[in-house]
């Protein structure tokens, strides 16, 4: 025991010396090799204890954070040496490279979460606790974003390509695990928010346990992705597929990285446009684990055609006229469209708040209004056409209905005025809604 | 003066005798000729006075109402003898015949309004006042419907046909007068509602004045329509046009009449499908007043084509793909459509509550959801396909947004399942809306 303590005392002294150097302004990068030597001799379990002792001796939490960074980086280098190779293969801005880069950040933050949670347990000083809690809040707040950036991009943009090729099981398992992690991090947020509601010891024990679990799950997911999922999609997806993915990534956002433009000279290929059959080369290029899993069960390629003969290409999908009519009828809003020449061109069918009949088609809008209010309709349209107004809203009570009316000018991609849309809806039902009703509450 | 009183006394006695016969159960129709003889000798101004005296002598308001009916009918026969001829020309269910028939009812109710308002002024008995007020409330309540049935059908279904032919002035003048009448009747409703808020004398004087005005305006409109507007449209509109009108009338409803089916063997013609030029026969068939008005000013026929080359016929209008995209983008709701095979087929473009990317197109819906809640999605779709559920709604808080999610199954005209529409919207803004903001409040 004494030996162990002495040993730790020695390591601590070494770390302290290094931290002093940082404190004195020496570049962290230059100290990396030295840190590496010291840290590699310390077990991960010891680190929080040592850090805690350093804190007691007056080293600030911020300086320790810098040490954490180095520690995590070293850890990452040790465990994911192979990924570096994969990553260097890929051009900057390639979606797969971005995913690898994000995984570095996730790994680092998971480790930070672990370290700070453990440090918190051993911190007695109130001010220090507060400081560490602040850092933890920031880390957990960041990690929540992993779910709707990194994981969401995989689930929404990449999974469809492997599902088409019959590898739905991989997608489903990963998504399930993603959701577990999302839930764990959400739970940590709640614990932090409710920390005043329980005794400190109870909170800190629970938090450390849950933080360790979450950090483990995050790290585990990085391994799964880097070693199985990414090599799989690398073997399967063509450049056109990656290009289609790249075009849509920005909508979801990224975890702590900002990928460059990447625009190879190929046609973007959406999931419904690919040939989903696997050739021998692709099969042999798959990670062994995936090859193993595929043995003995025939792959079910999804070859369903998206576009039908009579479909209208709306840019964000293909529907036929029958479906379009049904969609407009099912909308919880009624619309009437007047074209650039101020003539009624279309109204949505079905039961409406304000009755519209076919006779109105082609009618100039200034003839469709009570003469008394026509001048206002004309003024609104003028303001729309001149770009002075972006919308005009009105609301009136009509018996049990609370009718909300919205006028919006429409423009094409070149900014040319296309016409104006009138939208009417009964908002009375929405005013009565309280609380929440979630998908999982559904019963029939 | 004595003579006048004696004369009135005599007429009153005659009326009383007739009313007694009604009271004793004799058929009103049988007494018509006798009533006609008596009533024709009484000036309209005298009638309320006599009626009031009869009330004092114990004749109930209900019996007087029967007399009013006869009186109005006689009055109508006297003033609109020519319309009867017009009306008999037209087959049952023909929209123009319906309009003539409604005008009889409007005439009668306007006269009733007048009579009862005048009677009210002279009534001293509280119970009688209450009874008369009840009758007036009913009459005024009925007359409010003239605006959104009879007038609205003319404005929405018939005006477009004469506008196309360049007779916009007639349409505009009639609509302006319609609105004045709508306002007058609305005002009467308000007066009746607020009658406790002012002294009786003030109320009754005001009400009588306004009721007389409204009754006059209503009757005046009947004359204008019967003598100018209806002969005009009778001369101009073809059978196909009337057929198109007939098909759309039911949506608006009728004033105290229920027209029969009328379905001539011609193609329905909508305003944008007609040849709007007037031929000599049509011109000469117009009422003299209209011919006179048209002299000296060239008719501007509206020959604008509704359907363009690349238009999609949506049944309730013609739009091109560019306009459709812009419409979906401007909607205050986001939609995602999954087809009958449970595959995502379309989502509305633009900024959305739940991000959708092109990769989702063609993806089976059960692969688009977190594995944990997939079973519920499947159950909902099953209930939709089997017709057990008509919709499914959920609501969740998301930061400042209050997200309302609605799933609706879509069916074609034959009841075949087409797919399911997911609609999402932020209802937070609607929950904050209070009061009213009307078109006439608009300022920019």
């Amino acid at each position: 025991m004494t030996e162990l303590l002495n040993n730790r005392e020695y390591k601590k002294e070494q770390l302290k010396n290094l931290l002093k150097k940082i404190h004195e302004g020496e570049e962290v990068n230059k100290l990396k090799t030295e840190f590496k030597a010291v840290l590699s001799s310390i077990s991960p379990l010891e680190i929080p204890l040592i850090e805690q002792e350093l804190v007691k001796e007056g080293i600030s939490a911020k300086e320790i954070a810098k040490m954490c960074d180095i520690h995590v980086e070293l850890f990452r280098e040790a465990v994911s040496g192979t990924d570096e190779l994969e990553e260097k293969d890929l051009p900057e801005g390639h979606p797969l490279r971005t995913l690898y880069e994000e995984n570095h950040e996730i790994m680092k933050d998971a480790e930070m979460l672990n370290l700070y949670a453990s440090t918190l347990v051993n911190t007695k000083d109130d001010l220090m606790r507060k400081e560490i809690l602040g850092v933890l809040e920031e880390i957990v707040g960041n990690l929540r974003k992993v779910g709707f950036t990194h994981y969401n991009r995989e689930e929404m943009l990449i999974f469809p390509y492997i599902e088409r090729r019959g590898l739905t099981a991989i997608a489903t398992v990963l998504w399930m695990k993603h959701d577990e992690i999302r839930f764990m991090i959400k739970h940590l947020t709640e614990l932090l928010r409710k920390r005043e509601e329980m005794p400190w010891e109870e909170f800190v024990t629970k938090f450390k346990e849950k933080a360790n679990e979450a950090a483990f799950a995050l790290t585990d997911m990085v391994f799964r992705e880097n070693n199985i999922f990414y090599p799989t999609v690398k073997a399967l997806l063509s450049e056109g597929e990656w290009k289609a993915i790249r075009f849509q990534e920005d909508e979801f956002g990224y975890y702590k990285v900002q990928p460059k433009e990447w625009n190879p000279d190929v046609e973007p290929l959406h999931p419904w446009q690919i040939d989903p059959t696997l050739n021998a080369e692709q099969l042999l290029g798959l990670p062994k684990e995936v090859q193993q899993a595929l043995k003995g069960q025939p792959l079910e390629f999804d070859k369903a055609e998206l576009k039908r003969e009579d479909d209208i290409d709306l840019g964000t999908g293909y529907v036929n006229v029958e479906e379009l009519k049904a969609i407009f009828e099912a909308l919880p809003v009624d619309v009437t469209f007047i074209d650039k020449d101020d003539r009624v061109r279309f109204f949505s069918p079905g039961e409406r708040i304000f009755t519209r009949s076919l006779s109105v088609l082609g009618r100039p809008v200034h003839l469709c209004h009570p003469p008394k209010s026509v001048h206002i309709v004309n003024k609104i349209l003028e303001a729309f056409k001149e770009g002075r107004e972006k919308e005009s809203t009105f609301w009136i009570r009509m018996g049990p209905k609370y009718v909300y009316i919205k006028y919006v000018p429409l423009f094409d991609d070149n900014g040319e005025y296309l016409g104006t849309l009138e939208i009417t809806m009964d908002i009375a039902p929405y005013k009565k809604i309280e609380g929440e009703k979630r998908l999982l509450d559904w019963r029939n």
Side-chain angles (χ1 to χ4, degrees), chain A residues 69 74 84 88 91 103 116-118 124 143 198 206 226 228 254 270 273 311 315 405 421 443:
Chain A
D69 281 0
L74 295 174
E84 295 288 329
K88 295 253 160 64
N103 267 350
Y116 274 94
S118 304
K124 303 283 174 261
L143 284 171
M198 54 188 111
K206 215 179 253 179
N226 287 6
I228 302 177
Y254 308 91
H270 292 289
Q273 298 169 320
D311 269 353
I405 305 155
L421 195 66
R443 300 280 175 276

Side-chain angles (χ1 to χ4, degrees), chain A residues 175-213:
Chain A
W175 198 334
M176 221 154 57
K177 295 257 165 220
H178 288 169
D179 276 354
E180 283 169 17
I181 296 170
R182 284 181 173 108
F183 180 80
M184 286 175 185
I185 297 170
K186 200 179 163 198
H187 186 60
L188 289 178
T189 316
E190 276 159 20
L191 270 177
L192 283 170
R193 194 162 43 81
K194 290 184 190 162
R195 67 172 179 268
E196 313 265 289
E197 292 171 23
M198 54 188 111
W200 175 261
E201 282 309 319
E202 188 189 330
F203 160 72
V204 90
T205 313
K206 215 179 253 179
F207 186 81
K208 190 196 164 213
E209 185 197 329
K210 295 297 171 189
N212 285 351
E213 273 177 32

Side-chain angles (χ1 to χ4, degrees), chain A residues 268-432:
Chain A
L269 267 178
H270 292 289
W272 73 91
Q273 298 169 320
I274 66 167
D275 171 7
T277 49
L278 295 192
N279 58 36
E281 194 198 327
Q282 285 176 317
L283 263 173
L284 295 175
L286 291 175
K288 291 218 173 62
E289 294 89 337
V290 178
Q291 286 181 8
Q292 204 62 34
L294 293 181
K295 266 184 197 159
Q297 51 167 23
L299 274 180
E300 282 184 38
F301 306 126
D302 180 358
K303 291 181 171 186
E305 293 274 340
L306 182 64
K307 197 167 183 304
R308 298 157 305 189
E309 210 172 293
D310 56 351
D311 269 353
I312 301 159
D313 180 356
L314 285 175
T316 50
Y318 300 92
V319 285
N320 62 33
V321 171
E322 197 171 36
E323 290 164 340
L324 255 182
K325 286 182 188 176
I327 288 171
F328 274 113
E329 188 155 350
L331 287 181
V333 302
D334 303 337
V335 302
T336 306
F337 174 58
I338 60 162
D339 64 17
K340 62 178 172 32
D341 302 319
D342 299 341
R343 285 178 188 267
V344 180
R345 178 153 283 287
F346 167 67
F347 58 88
S348 53
E351 210 178 295
R352 300 177 47 105
I353 294 173
F354 299 115
T355 311
R356 294 275 181 271
S357 56
L358 289 176
S359 306
V360 83
L361 296 180
R363 196 176 188 188
V365 71
H366 66 271
L367 296 178
C368 304
H369 277 84
K372 208 172 70 177
S373 55
V374 163
H375 65 289
I376 295 179
V377 175
N378 289 337
K379 269 189 196 168
I380 292 175
L381 290 177
E382 213 176 273
F384 283 172
K385 289 173 187 176
E386 290 171 6
R388 280 182 286 116
E389 303 269 346
K390 295 263 170 279
E391 63 171 52
S392 226
T393 55
F394 305 92
W395 44 94
I396 50 174
R397 293 187 198 281
M398 271 174 63
K401 286 181 185 155
Y402 202 176
V403 180
Y404 187 79
I405 305 155
K406 186 176 180 178
Y407 297 96
V408 198
L410 308 186
F411 298 92
D412 69 10
D413 292 340
N414 304 319
E416 291 292 319
Y417 177 75
L418 288 175
T420 285
L421 195 66
E422 178 195 65
I423 302 151
T424 51
M425 60 198 291
D426 178 12
I427 59 169
Y430 307 125
K431 291 188 77 77
K432 284 181 209 139

Side-chain angles (χ1 to χ4, degrees), chain A residues 20 79-80 82-83 145 211 214 239 250 312 390 436 439-440:
Chain A
K20 258 188 207 150
V79 294
S80 58
T82 51
D83 310 331
K145 293 177 199 154
E239 203 161 32
D250 287 355
I312 301 159
K390 295 263 170 279
E436 295 202 327
L439 193 58
L440 288 167

Side-chain angles (χ1 to χ4, degrees), chain A residues 239-240 242-243 246 262-267:
Chain A
E239 203 161 32
W242 287 116
K243 180 165 170 171
R246 181 69 194 93
W262 178 69
N263 194 359
D265 191 20
V266 290
E267 276 298 300

Side-chain angles (χ1 to χ4, degrees), chain A residues 3 12 23 25 28 41 67 71 94 127 136 139 161 175 180 198 234 250 264 273-274 288 312 314 356 403 411 429 435:
Chain A
E3 202 182 325
K12 200 177 78 184
H23 192 68
V28 178
S41 69
M67 193 177 67
H71 175 250
H94 188 292
L127 225 72
L136 279 167
I139 296 172
Y161 289 102
W175 198 334
E180 283 169 17
M198 54 188 111
K234 199 178 177 206
D250 287 355
Q273 298 169 320
I274 66 167
K288 291 218 173 62
I312 301 159
L314 285 175
R356 294 275 181 271
V403 180
F411 298 92

